Amino acid sequence: MSVQERKQRERAERERLIVATARELAEQQGWDAVTTRRLAERIEYSQPVLYSHFRGKREIIGAVALEGATEMAAAVRAATSAADGPRARVTALARAYLDFAAHNPAVYDALFQLDGGLAFAHEDTPEPLKDAFAALLESLGEVAGDGVHPGVFTETFWAALHGLATLTRAGRLPPEYAEQRVDLLVDRLAVA
């Protein structure tokens, strides 16, 4: 291994450590606790080292979001691949999405609530974000209905899921009706 290859590998490892530490700190204490000073202390590197990887917190949030998008897409695909039939796939998708949001609140915030400097729904949207949307479209496109654009239908269903995730997490919806909400969403919006 050349010196250059070793340096590149070490740089990539430091970057992964920064992102993992930011994510861990955000999950434990919220995004307000994630500062370059605290990250530098936790990973035992100087702040200039952090800035050599990321220009600031915004880029770190973006990196966490991209990682989270990849994980969410995998979770949705795993859930839907085990389901039999359109209704079961859409139900599995909805549950996987809501479970991901509930179990990864800081990552979910990085994806959809915070400014990570990422473009959504544009030509320059990063691949992990496009793939996360594609994971939703794969199951939702088949139930969009005649004359309904599959992408627009997926956006609408996703917006409903996001609303459920956000309102549930904020304590605005009684938890005892969570399953009924998913069934209602699937039955009334996705499977005619």
Side-chain angles (χ1 to χ4, degrees):
M1 173 181 300
S2 73
V3 172
Q4 181 66 20
E5 289 171 330
R6 181 182 53 78
K7 285 182 179 184
Q8 287 175 340
R9 187 186 75 231
E10 289 171 354
R11 180 173 176 74
E13 287 173 10
R14 266 193 318 272
E15 195 165 297
R16 280 191 296 276
L17 179 61
I18 294 166
V19 171
T21 304
R23 182 175 174 168
E24 179 183 314
L25 187 56
E27 290 292 0
Q28 291 170 352
Q29 300 176 33
W31 278 104
D32 288 342
V34 179
T35 64
T36 54
R37 173 183 240 161
R38 289 185 84 185
L39 286 174
E41 289 170 3
R42 284 212 175 185
I43 65 171
E44 299 177 343
Y45 283 101
S46 67
Q47 284 181 291
V49 170
L50 263 78
Y51 285 116
S52 74
H53 290 274
F54 300 99
R55 287 182 281 194
K57 184 175 175 176
R58 182 179 187 222
E59 284 189 4
I60 294 169
I61 290 169
V64 170
L66 294 176
E67 190 176 89
T70 299
E71 292 170 10
M72 187 176 71
V76 166
R77 285 190 174 108
T80 58
S81 70
D84 186 31
R87 186 187 194 291
R89 274 190 292 283
V90 174
T91 300
L93 176 150
R95 288 189 177 129
Y97 183 97
L98 294 171
D99 286 347
F100 182 87
H103 292 100
N104 304 282
V107 173
Y108 192 81
D109 285 349
L111 270 164
F112 302 119
Q113 304 288 96
L114 302 173
D115 179 9
L118 303 173
F120 283 79
H122 293 284
E123 285 183 29
D124 60 341
T125 297
E127 269 316 304
L129 299 179
K130 288 179 182 178
D131 188 54
F133 185 78
L136 300 176
L137 181 63
E138 289 162 11
S139 293
L140 293 169
E142 71 178 319
V143 297
D146 294 337
V148 178
H149 187 282
V152 172
F153 179 79
T154 300
E155 291 169 348
T156 303
F157 196 90
W158 171 30
L161 286 174
H162 177 69
L164 288 175
T166 303
L167 292 170
T168 299
R169 209 168 112 206
R172 303 288 199 277
L173 299 175
E176 63 268 21
Y177 299 113
E179 288 300 313
Q180 286 178 280
R181 285 186 202 98
V182 169
D183 290 340
L184 183 64
L185 181 62
V186 171
D187 291 340
R188 300 293 169 97
L189 189 59
V191 182

PDB file of all heavy atoms in Angstrom, residues 162-192:
ATOM      1  N   HIS A 162     -44.673  11.253   6.748  1.00  0.00           N
ATOM      2  CA  HIS A 162     -43.857  12.241   7.469  1.00  0.00           C
ATOM      3  C   HIS A 162     -44.697  12.956   8.529  1.00  0.00           C
ATOM      4  O   HIS A 162     -44.238  13.164   9.657  1.00  0.00           O
ATOM      5  CB  HIS A 162     -43.248  13.248   6.493  1.00  0.00           C
ATOM      6  CG  HIS A 162     -42.469  14.322   7.174  1.00  0.00           C
ATOM      7  ND1 HIS A 162     -41.281  14.084   7.808  1.00  0.00           N
ATOM      8  CD2 HIS A 162     -42.730  15.641   7.346  1.00  0.00           C
ATOM      9  CE1 HIS A 162     -40.833  15.216   8.332  1.00  0.00           C
ATOM     10  NE2 HIS A 162     -41.689  16.181   8.066  1.00  0.00           N
ATOM     11  N   GLY A 163     -45.906  13.295   8.181  1.00  0.00           N
ATOM     12  CA  GLY A 163     -46.798  13.929   9.143  1.00  0.00           C
ATOM     13  C   GLY A 163     -47.070  13.017  10.334  1.00  0.00           C
ATOM     14  O   GLY A 163     -47.022  13.456  11.485  1.00  0.00           O
ATOM     15  N   LEU A 164     -47.338  11.750  10.058  1.00  0.00           N
ATOM     16  CA  LEU A 164     -47.565  10.801  11.155  1.00  0.00           C
ATOM     17  C   LEU A 164     -46.318  10.657  12.025  1.00  0.00           C
ATOM     18  O   LEU A 164     -46.409  10.656  13.256  1.00  0.00           O
ATOM     19  CB  LEU A 164     -47.973   9.431  10.604  1.00  0.00           C
ATOM     20  CG  LEU A 164     -49.375   9.324  10.019  1.00  0.00           C
ATOM     21  CD1 LEU A 164     -49.587   7.951   9.398  1.00  0.00           C
ATOM     22  CD2 LEU A 164     -50.418   9.602  11.095  1.00  0.00           C
ATOM     23  N   ALA A 165     -45.166  10.545  11.391  1.00  0.00           N
ATOM     24  CA  ALA A 165     -43.912  10.394  12.142  1.00  0.00           C
ATOM     25  C   ALA A 165     -43.655  11.614  13.017  1.00  0.00           C
ATOM     26  O   ALA A 165     -43.328  11.491  14.204  1.00  0.00           O
ATOM     27  CB  ALA A 165     -42.744  10.162  11.184  1.00  0.00           C
ATOM     28  N   THR A 166     -43.810  12.774  12.443  1.00  0.00           N
ATOM     29  CA  THR A 166     -43.518  14.018  13.154  1.00  0.00           C
ATOM     30  C   THR A 166     -44.514  14.278  14.283  1.00  0.00           C
ATOM     31  O   THR A 166     -44.124  14.619  15.407  1.00  0.00           O
ATOM     32  CB  THR A 166     -43.510  15.192  12.157  1.00  0.00           C
ATOM     33  OG1 THR A 166     -42.554  14.904  11.139  1.00  0.00           O
ATOM     34  CG2 THR A 166     -43.143  16.491  12.830  1.00  0.00           C
ATOM     35  N   LEU A 167     -45.789  14.111  14.007  1.00  0.00           N
ATOM     36  CA  LEU A 167     -46.809  14.349  15.027  1.00  0.00           C
ATOM     37  C   LEU A 167     -46.756  13.311  16.146  1.00  0.00           C
ATOM     38  O   LEU A 167     -46.964  13.633  17.318  1.00  0.00           O
ATOM     39  CB  LEU A 167     -48.196  14.385  14.397  1.00  0.00           C
ATOM     40  CG  LEU A 167     -48.470  15.585  13.486  1.00  0.00           C
ATOM     41  CD1 LEU A 167     -49.771  15.389  12.721  1.00  0.00           C
ATOM     42  CD2 LEU A 167     -48.483  16.878  14.279  1.00  0.00           C
ATOM     43  N   THR A 168     -46.451  12.077  15.798  1.00  0.00           N
ATOM     44  CA  THR A 168     -46.327  11.039  16.818  1.00  0.00           C
ATOM     45  C   THR A 168     -45.152  11.341  17.731  1.00  0.00           C
ATOM     46  O   THR A 168     -45.275  11.278  18.961  1.00  0.00           O
ATOM     47  CB  THR A 168     -46.163   9.651  16.162  1.00  0.00           C
ATOM     48  OG1 THR A 168     -47.331   9.378  15.380  1.00  0.00           O
ATOM     49  CG2 THR A 168     -45.974   8.564  17.208  1.00  0.00           C
ATOM     50  N   ARG A 169     -44.025  11.679  17.150  1.00  0.00           N
ATOM     51  CA  ARG A 169     -42.832  11.970  17.940  1.00  0.00           C
ATOM     52  C   ARG A 169     -43.029  13.185  18.850  1.00  0.00           C
ATOM     53  O   ARG A 169     -42.492  13.235  19.950  1.00  0.00           O
ATOM     54  CB  ARG A 169     -41.654  12.202  17.008  1.00  0.00           C
ATOM     55  CG  ARG A 169     -40.366  11.828  17.652  1.00  0.00           C
ATOM     56  CD  ARG A 169     -39.282  11.776  16.661  1.00  0.00           C
ATOM     57  NE  ARG A 169     -38.388  12.870  16.984  1.00  0.00           N
ATOM     58  CZ  ARG A 169     -37.611  13.463  16.138  1.00  0.00           C
ATOM     59  NH1 ARG A 169     -37.585  13.097  14.891  1.00  0.00           N
ATOM     60  NH2 ARG A 169     -36.821  14.431  16.509  1.00  0.00           N
ATOM     61  N   ALA A 170     -43.820  14.130  18.404  1.00  0.00           N
ATOM     62  CA  ALA A 170     -44.079  15.331  19.200  1.00  0.00           C
ATOM     63  C   ALA A 170     -45.144  15.099  20.270  1.00  0.00           C
ATOM     64  O   ALA A 170     -45.476  16.013  21.021  1.00  0.00           O
ATOM     65  CB  ALA A 170     -44.502  16.474  18.277  1.00  0.00           C
ATOM     66  N   GLY A 171     -45.687  13.877  20.313  1.00  0.00           N
ATOM     67  CA  GLY A 171     -46.712  13.569  21.308  1.00  0.00           C
ATOM     68  C   GLY A 171     -48.065  14.149  20.980  1.00  0.00           C
ATOM     69  O   GLY A 171     -48.923  14.279  21.860  1.00  0.00           O
ATOM     70  N   ARG A 172     -48.282  14.498  19.715  1.00  0.00           N
ATOM     71  CA  ARG A 172     -49.542  15.123  19.300  1.00  0.00           C
ATOM     72  C   ARG A 172     -50.612  14.099  18.925  1.00  0.00           C
ATOM     73  O   ARG A 172     -51.769  14.443  18.773  1.00  0.00           O
ATOM     74  CB  ARG A 172     -49.324  16.052  18.099  1.00  0.00           C
ATOM     75  CG  ARG A 172     -48.306  17.155  18.302  1.00  0.00           C
ATOM     76  CD  ARG A 172     -48.815  18.235  19.229  1.00  0.00           C
ATOM     77  NE  ARG A 172     -48.101  19.485  19.130  1.00  0.00           N
ATOM     78  CZ  ARG A 172     -46.969  19.777  19.744  1.00  0.00           C
ATOM     79  NH1 ARG A 172     -46.370  18.867  20.474  1.00  0.00           N
ATOM     80  NH2 ARG A 172     -46.414  20.966  19.629  1.00  0.00           N
ATOM     81  N   LEU A 173     -50.198  12.834  18.739  1.00  0.00           N
ATOM     82  CA  LEU A 173     -51.146  11.787  18.378  1.00  0.00           C
ATOM     83  C   LEU A 173     -51.111  10.691  19.436  1.00  0.00           C
ATOM     84  O   LEU A 173     -50.024  10.260  19.838  1.00  0.00           O
ATOM     85  CB  LEU A 173     -50.780  11.179  17.010  1.00  0.00           C
ATOM     86  CG  LEU A 173     -50.787  12.131  15.818  1.00  0.00           C
ATOM     87  CD1 LEU A 173     -50.283  11.413  14.568  1.00  0.00           C
ATOM     88  CD2 LEU A 173     -52.172  12.699  15.571  1.00  0.00           C
ATOM     89  N   PRO A 174     -52.272  10.228  19.880  1.00  0.00           N
ATOM     90  CA  PRO A 174     -52.286   9.152  20.877  1.00  0.00           C
ATOM     91  C   PRO A 174     -51.658   7.874  20.315  1.00  0.00           C
ATOM     92  O   PRO A 174     -52.021   7.424  19.224  1.00  0.00           O
ATOM     93  CB  PRO A 174     -53.773   8.938  21.164  1.00  0.00           C
ATOM     94  CG  PRO A 174     -54.485  10.112  20.592  1.00  0.00           C
ATOM     95  CD  PRO A 174     -53.608  10.674  19.524  1.00  0.00           C
ATOM     96  N   PRO A 175     -50.717   7.284  21.031  1.00  0.00           N
ATOM     97  CA  PRO A 175     -50.003   6.121  20.506  1.00  0.00           C
ATOM     98  C   PRO A 175     -50.876   4.891  20.302  1.00  0.00           C
ATOM     99  O   PRO A 175     -50.575   4.043  19.459  1.00  0.00           O
ATOM    100  CB  PRO A 175     -48.917   5.851  21.561  1.00  0.00           C
ATOM    101  CG  PRO A 175     -49.350   6.570  22.779  1.00  0.00           C
ATOM    102  CD  PRO A 175     -50.225   7.698  22.342  1.00  0.00           C
ATOM    103  N   GLU A 176     -51.980   4.782  21.027  1.00  0.00           N
ATOM    104  CA  GLU A 176     -52.807   3.572  20.917  1.00  0.00           C
ATOM    105  C   GLU A 176     -53.491   3.425  19.553  1.00  0.00           C
ATOM    106  O   GLU A 176     -54.002   2.366  19.225  1.00  0.00           O
ATOM    107  CB  GLU A 176     -53.848   3.511  22.047  1.00  0.00           C
ATOM    108  CG  GLU A 176     -54.865   4.623  22.048  1.00  0.00           C
ATOM    109  CD  GLU A 176     -54.453   5.821  22.914  1.00  0.00           C
ATOM    110  OE1 GLU A 176     -53.260   5.985  23.204  1.00  0.00           O
ATOM    111  OE2 GLU A 176     -55.346   6.593  23.264  1.00  0.00           O
ATOM    112  N   TYR A 177     -53.484   4.473  18.743  1.00  0.00           N
ATOM    113  CA  TYR A 177     -54.114   4.388  17.419  1.00  0.00           C
ATOM    114  C   TYR A 177     -53.107   4.296  16.279  1.00  0.00           C
ATOM    115  O   TYR A 177     -53.469   4.453  15.114  1.00  0.00           O
ATOM    116  CB  TYR A 177     -55.036   5.592  17.192  1.00  0.00           C
ATOM    117  CG  TYR A 177     -56.166   5.668  18.190  1.00  0.00           C
ATOM    118  CD1 TYR A 177     -56.212   6.699  19.114  1.00  0.00           C
ATOM    119  CD2 TYR A 177     -57.165   4.704  18.217  1.00  0.00           C
ATOM    120  CE1 TYR A 177     -57.228   6.777  20.051  1.00  0.00           C
ATOM    121  CE2 TYR A 177     -58.184   4.768  19.146  1.00  0.00           C
ATOM    122  CZ  TYR A 177     -58.215   5.799  20.054  1.00  0.00           C
ATOM    123  OH  TYR A 177     -59.226   5.865  20.982  1.00  0.00           O
ATOM    124  N   ALA A 178     -51.866   4.022  16.583  1.00  0.00           N
ATOM    125  CA  ALA A 178     -50.814   3.999  15.564  1.00  0.00           C
ATOM    126  C   ALA A 178     -51.117   2.996  14.448  1.00  0.00           C
ATOM    127  O   ALA A 178     -51.006   3.327  13.264  1.00  0.00           O
ATOM    128  CB  ALA A 178     -49.459   3.700  16.198  1.00  0.00           C
ATOM    129  N   GLU A 179     -51.505   1.792  14.809  1.00  0.00           N
ATOM    130  CA  GLU A 179     -51.792   0.762  13.797  1.00  0.00           C
ATOM    131  C   GLU A 179     -53.010   1.144  12.962  1.00  0.00           C
ATOM    132  O   GLU A 179     -53.033   0.935  11.752  1.00  0.00           O
ATOM    133  CB  GLU A 179     -51.994  -0.606  14.451  1.00  0.00           C
ATOM    134  CG  GLU A 179     -50.727  -1.221  14.987  1.00  0.00           C
ATOM    135  CD  GLU A 179     -49.669  -1.457  13.917  1.00  0.00           C
ATOM    136  OE1 GLU A 179     -49.994  -1.988  12.840  1.00  0.00           O
ATOM    137  OE2 GLU A 179     -48.505  -1.099  14.152  1.00  0.00           O
ATOM    138  N   GLN A 180     -54.028   1.706  13.604  1.00  0.00           N
ATOM    139  CA  GLN A 180     -55.226   2.124  12.878  1.00  0.00           C
ATOM    140  C   GLN A 180     -54.894   3.217  11.864  1.00  0.00           C
ATOM    141  O   GLN A 180     -55.465   3.238  10.775  1.00  0.00           O
ATOM    142  CB  GLN A 180     -56.297   2.628  13.845  1.00  0.00           C
ATOM    143  CG  GLN A 180     -56.962   1.516  14.620  1.00  0.00           C
ATOM    144  CD  GLN A 180     -57.969   2.075  15.603  1.00  0.00           C
ATOM    145  OE1 GLN A 180     -57.585   2.537  16.667  1.00  0.00           O
ATOM    146  NE2 GLN A 180     -59.242   2.024  15.227  1.00  0.00           N
ATOM    147  N   ARG A 181     -53.979   4.114  12.222  1.00  0.00           N
ATOM    148  CA  ARG A 181     -53.588   5.174  11.294  1.00  0.00           C
ATOM    149  C   ARG A 181     -52.925   4.592  10.051  1.00  0.00           C
ATOM    150  O   ARG A 181     -53.201   5.023   8.938  1.00  0.00           O
ATOM    151  CB  ARG A 181     -52.656   6.169  11.983  1.00  0.00           C
ATOM    152  CG  ARG A 181     -53.352   7.078  12.935  1.00  0.00           C
ATOM    153  CD  ARG A 181     -52.398   8.147  13.489  1.00  0.00           C
ATOM    154  NE  ARG A 181     -52.961   8.616  14.736  1.00  0.00           N
ATOM    155  CZ  ARG A 181     -52.610   8.206  15.935  1.00  0.00           C
ATOM    156  NH1 ARG A 181     -51.620   7.354  16.084  1.00  0.00           N
ATOM    157  NH2 ARG A 181     -53.208   8.673  17.004  1.00  0.00           N
ATOM    158  N   VAL A 182     -52.039   3.622  10.260  1.00  0.00           N
ATOM    159  CA  VAL A 182     -51.373   2.982   9.118  1.00  0.00           C
ATOM    160  C   VAL A 182     -52.404   2.279   8.249  1.00  0.00           C
ATOM    161  O   VAL A 182     -52.407   2.437   7.018  1.00  0.00           O
ATOM    162  CB  VAL A 182     -50.272   2.004   9.584  1.00  0.00           C
ATOM    163  CG1 VAL A 182     -49.771   1.151   8.426  1.00  0.00           C
ATOM    164  CG2 VAL A 182     -49.112   2.764  10.223  1.00  0.00           C
ATOM    165  N   ASP A 183     -53.303   1.516   8.860  1.00  0.00           N
ATOM    166  CA  ASP A 183     -54.329   0.813   8.084  1.00  0.00           C
ATOM    167  C   ASP A 183     -55.204   1.791   7.310  1.00  0.00           C
ATOM    168  O   ASP A 183     -55.526   1.562   6.138  1.00  0.00           O
ATOM    169  CB  ASP A 183     -55.202  -0.050   9.002  1.00  0.00           C
ATOM    170  CG  ASP A 183     -54.457  -1.245   9.556  1.00  0.00           C
ATOM    171  OD1 ASP A 183     -53.421  -1.642   8.976  1.00  0.00           O
ATOM    172  OD2 ASP A 183     -54.903  -1.800  10.591  1.00  0.00           O
ATOM    173  N   LEU A 184     -55.595   2.874   7.952  1.00  0.00           N
ATOM    174  CA  LEU A 184     -56.432   3.884   7.292  1.00  0.00           C
ATOM    175  C   LEU A 184     -55.703   4.520   6.125  1.00  0.00           C
ATOM    176  O   LEU A 184     -56.262   4.667   5.028  1.00  0.00           O
ATOM    177  CB  LEU A 184     -56.860   4.942   8.312  1.00  0.00           C
ATOM    178  CG  LEU A 184     -57.793   6.036   7.814  1.00  0.00           C
ATOM    179  CD1 LEU A 184     -59.117   5.440   7.385  1.00  0.00           C
ATOM    180  CD2 LEU A 184     -58.001   7.083   8.899  1.00  0.00           C
ATOM    181  N   LEU A 185     -54.446   4.866   6.333  1.00  0.00           N
ATOM    182  CA  LEU A 185     -53.653   5.471   5.266  1.00  0.00           C
ATOM    183  C   LEU A 185     -53.543   4.512   4.087  1.00  0.00           C
ATOM    184  O   LEU A 185     -53.752   4.911   2.926  1.00  0.00           O
ATOM    185  CB  LEU A 185     -52.263   5.828   5.802  1.00  0.00           C
ATOM    186  CG  LEU A 185     -51.294   6.495   4.831  1.00  0.00           C
ATOM    187  CD1 LEU A 185     -51.837   7.831   4.359  1.00  0.00           C
ATOM    188  CD2 LEU A 185     -49.941   6.678   5.505  1.00  0.00           C
ATOM    189  N   VAL A 186     -53.238   3.274   4.354  1.00  0.00           N
ATOM    190  CA  VAL A 186     -53.086   2.277   3.290  1.00  0.00           C
ATOM    191  C   VAL A 186     -54.412   2.043   2.583  1.00  0.00           C
ATOM    192  O   VAL A 186     -54.496   2.067   1.351  1.00  0.00           O
ATOM    193  CB  VAL A 186     -52.499   0.952   3.839  1.00  0.00           C
ATOM    194  CG1 VAL A 186     -52.541  -0.148   2.790  1.00  0.00           C
ATOM    195  CG2 VAL A 186     -51.071   1.190   4.330  1.00  0.00           C
ATOM    196  N   ASP A 187     -55.479   1.810   3.351  1.00  0.00           N
ATOM    197  CA  ASP A 187     -56.778   1.490   2.757  1.00  0.00           C
ATOM    198  C   ASP A 187     -57.393   2.640   1.972  1.00  0.00           C
ATOM    199  O   ASP A 187     -57.971   2.427   0.911  1.00  0.00           O
ATOM    200  CB  ASP A 187     -57.766   1.042   3.845  1.00  0.00           C
ATOM    201  CG  ASP A 187     -57.411  -0.299   4.429  1.00  0.00           C
ATOM    202  OD1 ASP A 187     -56.672  -1.064   3.782  1.00  0.00           O
ATOM    203  OD2 ASP A 187     -57.872  -0.596   5.550  1.00  0.00           O
ATOM    204  N   ARG A 188     -57.275   3.847   2.476  1.00  0.00           N
ATOM    205  CA  ARG A 188     -57.942   4.984   1.839  1.00  0.00           C
ATOM    206  C   ARG A 188     -57.114   5.672   0.770  1.00  0.00           C
ATOM    207  O   ARG A 188     -57.661   6.268  -0.145  1.00  0.00           O
ATOM    208  CB  ARG A 188     -58.364   6.009   2.887  1.00  0.00           C
ATOM    209  CG  ARG A 188     -59.313   5.473   3.921  1.00  0.00           C
ATOM    210  CD  ARG A 188     -60.660   5.125   3.283  1.00  0.00           C
ATOM    211  NE  ARG A 188     -61.495   4.382   4.196  1.00  0.00           N
ATOM    212  CZ  ARG A 188     -62.437   4.903   4.947  1.00  0.00           C
ATOM    213  NH1 ARG A 188     -62.669   6.185   4.913  1.00  0.00           N
ATOM    214  NH2 ARG A 188     -63.155   4.134   5.730  1.00  0.00           N
ATOM    215  N   LEU A 189     -55.806   5.605   0.909  1.00  0.00           N
ATOM    216  CA  LEU A 189     -54.983   6.339  -0.038  1.00  0.00           C
ATOM    217  C   LEU A 189     -54.298   5.424  -1.041  1.00  0.00           C
ATOM    218  O   LEU A 189     -54.218   5.735  -2.212  1.00  0.00           O
ATOM    219  CB  LEU A 189     -53.929   7.176   0.711  1.00  0.00           C
ATOM    220  CG  LEU A 189     -53.119   8.159  -0.113  1.00  0.00           C
ATOM    221  CD1 LEU A 189     -54.021   9.165  -0.801  1.00  0.00           C
ATOM    222  CD2 LEU A 189     -52.118   8.887   0.761  1.00  0.00           C
ATOM    223  N   ALA A 190     -53.836   4.277  -0.586  1.00  0.00           N
ATOM    224  CA  ALA A 190     -52.947   3.493  -1.438  1.00  0.00           C
ATOM    225  C   ALA A 190     -53.593   2.297  -2.116  1.00  0.00           C
ATOM    226  O   ALA A 190     -53.184   1.930  -3.202  1.00  0.00           O
ATOM    227  CB  ALA A 190     -51.748   3.017  -0.629  1.00  0.00           C
ATOM    228  N   VAL A 191     -54.544   1.667  -1.509  1.00  0.00           N
ATOM    229  CA  VAL A 191     -55.101   0.450  -2.096  1.00  0.00           C
ATOM    230  C   VAL A 191     -56.597   0.620  -2.263  1.00  0.00           C
ATOM    231  O   VAL A 191     -57.338   0.621  -1.278  1.00  0.00           O
ATOM    232  CB  VAL A 191     -54.764  -0.791  -1.237  1.00  0.00           C
ATOM    233  CG1 VAL A 191     -55.299  -2.043  -1.893  1.00  0.00           C
ATOM    234  CG2 VAL A 191     -53.266  -0.903  -1.030  1.00  0.00           C
ATOM    235  N   ALA A 192     -56.988   0.789  -3.489  1.00  0.00           N
ATOM    236  CA  ALA A 192     -58.420   0.997  -3.755  1.00  0.00           C
ATOM    237  C   ALA A 192     -59.116  -0.313  -4.049  1.00  0.00           C
ATOM    238  O   ALA A 192     -58.562  -1.285  -4.420  1.00  0.00           O
ATOM    239  CB  ALA A 192     -58.593   1.940  -4.934  1.00  0.00           C
TER     240      ALA A 192
END
